[in-house]
């Protein structure tokens, strides 16, 4: 098992190391692998939020391909290294608690501190996931978009969390198309009747 620093690349088809688990993640296909990443892999710049969002979007697309709600998330350290990524699995696993942010959080593994970490999600987090960001003290939250759902962004800002809303049209379109086709599942996901 690899015990070095988690690493990530911004190039299509490249792989990113997921934490210290020894698993790799293909940024293009969104598939996990136990193989060693090919080639030279470099961390992202710590403030390259669009590149970080690309990891979360790949996860959202993976969730959609599995028949689930297309919301993805990823956790990065202060140097821009990918620690974990995940996607909403409520439909696939029949598990109401597996939101994208909780899946990425679990895949990131235990951390000594979360204050210098960045949670990236394709959608503004719901109150449940906003609570996770608050409970563990994430310093930065990057939302792909908040037009579809505002969640707890204002609350997190009021608590001193650095909140960046990228207002990504790709994120809006991806989830919007799903909601049109599956309004009942979406309403269930956000707790609406």
């Amino acid at each position: 098992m690899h015990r070095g620093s988690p690493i990530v690349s911004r190039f299509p088809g490249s792989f990113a190391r997921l934490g210290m688990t020894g698993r790799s993640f293909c940024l293009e296909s969104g598939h996990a692998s136990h193989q060693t990443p090919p080639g030279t892999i470099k961390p992202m710049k710590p403030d390259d939020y669009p590149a970080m969002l690309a990891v979360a979007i790949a996860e959202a697309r993976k969730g959609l391909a599995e028949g689930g709600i297309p919301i993805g998330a990823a956790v990065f350290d202060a140097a821009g290294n990918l620690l974990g990524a995940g996607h909403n699995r409520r439909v696939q696993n029949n598990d109401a608690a597996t939101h994208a942010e909780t899946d990425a959080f679990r895949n990131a593994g235990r951390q000594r501190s979360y204050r210098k970490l960045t949670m990236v999600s394709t959608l503004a987090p719901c109150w449940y996931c906003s609570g996770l960001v608050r409970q563990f003290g994430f310093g930065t939250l990057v939302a792909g978009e908040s037009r579809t759902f505002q969640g707890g962004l204002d609350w997190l800002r009021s608590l001193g969390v650095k909140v960046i809303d990228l207002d990504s049209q790709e994120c809006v379109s991806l989830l919007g198309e799903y909601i049109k086709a599956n309004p009942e599942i979406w309403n269930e996901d956000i707790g609406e009747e």
Side-chain angles (χ1 to χ4, degrees):
M1 181 184 299
H2 177 73
R3 296 273 181 210
S5 299
I7 48 181
V8 70
S9 171
R10 297 175 48 201
F11 304 104
S14 59
F15 286 78
R17 173 77 55 201
L18 292 181
M20 301 302 174
T21 64
R23 295 179 67 205
S24 297
F25 174 80
C26 178
L27 296 176
E28 186 173 6
S29 69
H31 296 285
S33 168
H34 291 281
Q35 299 174 357
T36 304
T40 304
I41 310 290
K42 298 178 183 178
M44 292 181 194
K45 293 179 183 175
D47 60 351
D48 192 351
Y49 302 126
M52 292 176 177
L53 180 61
V55 175
I57 290 171
E59 280 289 329
R61 291 191 183 287
K62 182 177 178 184
L64 181 62
E66 295 170 354
I69 302 166
I71 302 171
V75 177
F76 293 88
D77 70 13
N81 296 307
L82 175 65
L83 300 179
H87 55 274
N88 187 303
R89 297 176 189 265
R90 296 184 75 248
V91 174
Q92 303 91 307
N93 294 355
N94 195 31
D95 178 359
T98 309
H99 291 209
E101 296 86 349
T102 61
D103 197 33
F105 178 73
R106 285 180 179 144
N107 289 333
R110 291 175 52 208
Q111 304 294 318
R112 182 177 201 101
S113 172
Y114 296 85
R115 301 215 186 287
K116 294 182 180 178
L117 301 186
T118 299
M119 172 70 78
V120 180
S121 180
T122 56
L123 180 67
C126 67
W127 286 104
Y128 168 59
C129 296
S130 293
L132 181 148
V133 170
R134 170 65 171 118
Q135 172 68 31
F136 290 93
F138 279 83
T140 304
L141 170 77
V142 177
E145 65 105 347
S146 63
R147 285 187 259 167
T148 305
F149 185 76
Q150 181 66 35
L153 292 186
D154 289 337
W155 178 66
L156 290 170
R157 280 186 188 107
S158 76
L159 297 170
V161 176
K162 180 179 178 181
V163 175
I164 295 138
D165 186 345
L166 296 178
D167 195 28
S168 163
Q169 185 57 49
E170 182 177 6
C171 291
V172 171
S173 298
L174 183 62
L175 186 56
E177 290 170 19
Y178 180 86
I179 292 170
K180 280 183 190 173
N182 304 280
E184 300 85 15
I185 295 173
W186 170 248
N187 286 334
E188 175 190 325
D189 192 61
I190 62 171
E192 297 290 324
E193 292 191 25

